[in-house]
Amino acid sequence: MDVESVFHMAGGVGDTSYSKNSSLQKKASDMVKHITMEAVQEVFLSLNKPNSFGMADLGCSSGPNTLSIIKDIIKSVEEAEACGVNVKFLNQCPTITTKEFRVYLNDLPTNDFNSIFKALPDFHGELKKSTRRSDLYIAASPGSFYGRLFPSGSLHFVYSSYSLHWLSKVPRALYDEQGKSTNKGCIYISESSPPTVAQAYQAQFREDFSSFLQFRSQELIPGGQMVLILLGRRGPNHIDRGNSFFWEILSRSFSTLILEVGDD
Amino acid sequence: MDVESVFHMAGGVGDTSYSKNSSLQKKASDMVKHITMEAVQEVFLSLNKPNSFGMADLGCSSGPNTLSIIKDIIKSVEEAEACGVNVKFLNQCPTITTKEFRVYLNDLPTNDFNSIFKALPDFHGELKKSTRRSDLYIAASPGSFYGRLFPSGSLHFVYSSYSLHWLSKVPRALYDEQGKSTNKGCIYISESSPPTVAQAYQAQFREDFSSFLQFRSQELIPGGQMVLILLGRRGPNHIDRGNSFFWEILSRSFSTLILEVGDD
């Protein structure tokens, strides 16, 4: 399966869309929002308030979360622009010199970028009311973040939330020499999976994450920062990931579905 | 009517999509392709083969024309990179230093960018076979080209084909003091339109085109160039635009439709 060409969150704004079903992802992002904002302000100030600030949201998907985090980051930079870190009363700060703010929204090419774009005129209108910023450039850069996405040294800040646990491909090591799956009847790492399955996913993650870091190191300017939010686990047991019951339920649903189709 | 929020070519790839009905636009663009390619090569060479070349297609729409012109421009720059203008045998040229090539696709936010993005993985694959270029960055920058779109001095070349005859708004001067249309029963400038109608459209075009030039002058670097392809007319008569019969047919169709709806 060519993941880059087919994988995406459910588009549009209907009842089953990602846009209407991403409160969990919003919650995760909100939990560490203070870290994100501190990092943005730190990079902005430590790089001496660059004239053209570039940031990317990798795996932005489509929905309210996409533009909501951009708005928060813009406000955060505006605070730092005005008086430094932790400014609470922006209106009391002296007028700032206008600086360019470049935002690149990234996801796989089948992501529903159209829905984000349709929301942009209102978003720009709203921003004009709530911030002083008028020189905001939002662009979409479709492609896999396991490959090169942006020109050299064009970014100051990289943000990625709830995306990096998606691998670039189904690990080759999941299949035996005859090309048969060693993880029969299971999706991802389940209780009944043999140990080689966890190892296969781990190796794929290591390979993917190394690529991710390698390419970002070319795109970020020296002194730039990243905030990466991804699923993890508390203990050494691969099955204990907090959300593994999702995979069990999904796995059973698929099995039932396949049996039903087989009966017809 | 807020043109920026609603106006777009028909999306998708169905029988009535712009993608399947844009051979006329392709023909127009092909007629002046030699001018486009010469301009691209000239700007590339006169600016001493910039390390990061930025270009934008304003009003790119979606369909085969969008990526086809990008491919032609990339090849053209590659020729200039290798040995200078008018190189016919690229394979005999010495290996070139790899340079960054940034492409920004622009159209209004309701344009079907998703369809373009879906074609990108194949497009990149094809380019790898037919050119030496590997450092191509394609991004979409949605918004009206009658406003600011790109950071200062970020572009070397601007291309716009069959787009600039679309105005930013319905000219205010088309309405009399009571807010009633002075162009009753007509769409655009027709034979039965009073002279004030042509004047209203002309004034709106002047205003829009001035904005266009003003913003592009901020986005293009000094020495950059533009190729703008738009509908014109041969004589002083506003009605004689070559394609005015389209508007007459469309106008009559709408009238018939409205009468039919009125009868129901």
Side-chain angles (χ1 to χ4, degrees):
Chain A
M1 186 177 70
D2 179 7
V3 174
E4 187 173 347
S5 297
V6 297
F7 181 69
H8 59 88
M9 299 297 110
V13 290
D15 285 347
T16 58
S17 65
Y18 177 83
S19 178
K20 288 274 167 68
N21 295 277
S22 45
S23 56
L24 179 77
Q25 287 78 356
K26 167 83 172 152
K27 203 176 155 191
S29 150
D30 279 351
M31 275 172 72
V32 293
K33 199 156 125 181
H34 59 289
I35 298 175
T36 308
M37 299 311 143
E38 272 171 35
V40 170
Q41 294 194 326
E42 197 178 298
V43 73
F44 186 77
L45 292 173
S46 68
L47 294 171
N48 295 321
K49 304 183 181 181
N51 272 321
S52 182
F53 188 85
M55 69 150 284
D57 180 355
L58 307 184
C60 65
S61 193
S62 67
N65 299 353
T66 309
L67 294 177
S68 157
I69 189 70
I70 301 302
K71 191 178 169 186
D72 290 338
I73 290 176
I74 288 170
K75 284 194 169 181
S76 199
V77 166
E78 198 165 60
E79 284 178 11
E81 266 176 335
C83 302
V85 180
N86 293 329
V87 175
K88 293 241 168 65
F89 306 100
L90 187 61
N91 294 335
Q92 294 172 15
C93 290
T95 309
I96 52 162
T97 320
T98 313
K99 294 183 193 287
E100 281 179 0
F101 200 97
R102 294 173 285 114
V103 176
Y104 302 99
L105 301 173
N106 157 265
D107 210 308
L108 290 175
T110 47
N111 181 52
D112 186 7
F113 285 98
N114 282 357
S115 291
I116 308 175
F117 291 170
K118 275 176 197 154
L120 279 183
D122 284 348
F123 179 73
H124 280 290
E126 205 185 303
L127 263 191
K128 267 187 194 159
K129 284 183 209 154
S130 62
T131 75
R132 292 167 177 161
R133 183 154 302 286
S134 61
D135 50 353
L136 170 67
Y137 304 100
I138 299 182
S141 301
S144 166
F145 50 50
Y146 295 124
R148 187 71 188 267
L149 289 169
F150 306 102
S152 298
S154 58
L155 300 177
H156 298 78
F157 183 68
V158 166
Y159 176 80
S160 180
S161 181
Y162 245 71
S163 303
L164 264 163
H165 39 255
W166 295 107
L167 302 175
S168 71
K169 58 170 85 74
V170 179
R172 280 178 297 268
L174 278 184
Y175 303 97
D176 63 18
E177 285 171 6
Q178 281 77 45
K180 287 181 182 166
S181 171
T182 58
N183 196 20
K184 272 175 192 165
C186 300
I187 294 178
Y188 205 42
I189 309 165
S190 304
E191 284 189 26
S192 57
S193 300
T196 51
V197 167
Q199 287 158 17
Y201 278 108
Q202 200 171 24
Q204 187 62 50
F205 178 78
R206 193 175 288 126
E207 184 189 317
D208 284 345
F209 196 56
S210 297
S211 302
F212 180 90
L213 293 178
Q214 185 201 329
F215 290 116
R216 297 302 84 74
S217 74
Q218 294 163 10
E219 296 160 358
L220 273 166
I221 65 158
Q225 292 197 26
M226 301 200 286
V227 170
L228 311 176
I229 304 165
L230 63 158
L231 289 173
R233 57 189 156 86
R234 288 178 195 273
N237 188 347
H238 279 285
I239 300 154
D240 178 26
R241 296 183 310 274
N243 71 344
S244 48
F245 66 96
F246 278 134
W247 297 103
E248 293 293 343
I249 293 166
L250 197 64
S251 178
R252 281 184 214 172
S253 306
F254 275 132
S255 300
T256 311
L257 200 66
I258 290 163
L259 281 173
E260 279 179 12
V261 172
D263 286 347
D264 284 343
Chain B
M1 186 177 70
D2 179 8
V3 173
E4 187 172 348
S5 297
V6 297
F7 181 70
H8 59 89
M9 298 297 109
V13 290
D15 285 348
T16 58
S17 66
Y18 177 83
S19 178
K20 288 274 167 69
N21 294 276
S22 45
S23 56
L24 179 77
Q25 287 78 357
K26 167 82 172 152
K27 203 176 156 191
S29 150
D30 280 351
M31 275 172 72
V32 293
K33 200 157 126 180
H34 60 289
I35 298 175
T36 308
M37 300 311 144
E38 273 171 36
V40 170
Q41 295 194 326
E42 197 178 298
V43 73
F44 186 77
L45 292 173
S46 67
L47 294 171
N48 295 321
K49 304 183 181 181
N51 272 320
S52 182
F53 188 85
M55 70 151 284
D57 180 356
L58 308 184
C60 65
S61 194
S62 67
N65 298 353
T66 309
L67 294 177
S68 157
I69 188 70
I70 301 301
K71 191 177 169 187
D72 290 338
I73 290 176
I74 288 171
K75 284 194 169 181
S76 200
V77 166
E78 198 165 59
E79 284 178 11
E81 266 176 335
C83 303
V85 180
N86 293 329
V87 175
K88 293 243 169 64
F89 306 100
L90 188 61
N91 294 336
Q92 294 171 16
C93 290
T95 309
I96 51 163
T97 320
T98 313
K99 294 183 193 286
E100 281 179 0
F101 200 96
R102 294 173 285 115
V103 176
Y104 303 98
L105 301 173
N106 157 265
D107 210 308
L108 290 176
T110 47
N111 181 52
D112 186 7
F113 285 98
N114 282 358
S115 291
I116 307 175
F117 291 171
K118 276 177 197 154
L120 279 183
D122 284 349
F123 178 73
H124 280 290
E126 206 184 302
L127 263 191
K128 267 187 194 159
K129 284 182 209 154
S130 62
T131 75
R132 293 167 178 162
R133 184 154 301 287
S134 61
D135 50 353
L136 170 66
Y137 304 100
I138 298 182
S141 301
S144 166
F145 50 51
Y146 295 124
R148 186 71 188 267
L149 289 170
F150 305 102
S152 298
S154 58
L155 300 177
H156 297 79
F157 183 68
V158 166
Y159 176 80
S160 180
S161 181
Y162 245 71
S163 302
L164 264 164
H165 39 255
W166 295 107
L167 302 175
S168 70
K169 58 170 85 73
V170 179
R172 279 178 297 268
L174 277 184
Y175 303 97
D176 63 18
E177 285 170 6
Q178 281 78 46
K180 287 181 182 166
S181 170
T182 58
N183 196 20
K184 272 174 192 166
C186 300
I187 294 177
Y188 205 43
I189 308 165
S190 304
E191 284 189 26
S192 57
S193 301
T196 51
V197 167
Q199 287 158 16
Y201 277 108
Q202 200 171 24
Q204 186 62 50
F205 177 77
R206 193 175 289 125
E207 184 189 319
D208 284 344
F209 196 56
S210 297
S211 302
F212 180 91
L213 293 177
Q214 185 201 329
F215 290 115
R216 298 302 85 73
S217 73
Q218 294 163 11
E219 296 160 358
L220 273 165
I221 65 158
Q225 291 197 26
M226 302 199 286
V227 169
L228 311 176
I229 304 164
L230 63 159
L231 289 173
R233 57 189 156 85
R234 289 179 194 274
N237 188 347
H238 279 284
I239 301 153
D240 178 26
R241 297 183 309 275
N243 71 343
S244 48
F245 65 95
F246 279 134
W247 297 103
E248 293 294 341
I249 293 166
L250 197 63
S251 177
R252 281 184 214 170
S253 306
F254 275 131
S255 300
T256 311
L257 200 66
I258 289 163
L259 280 173
E260 279 178 12
V261 172
D263 285 347
D264 284 343

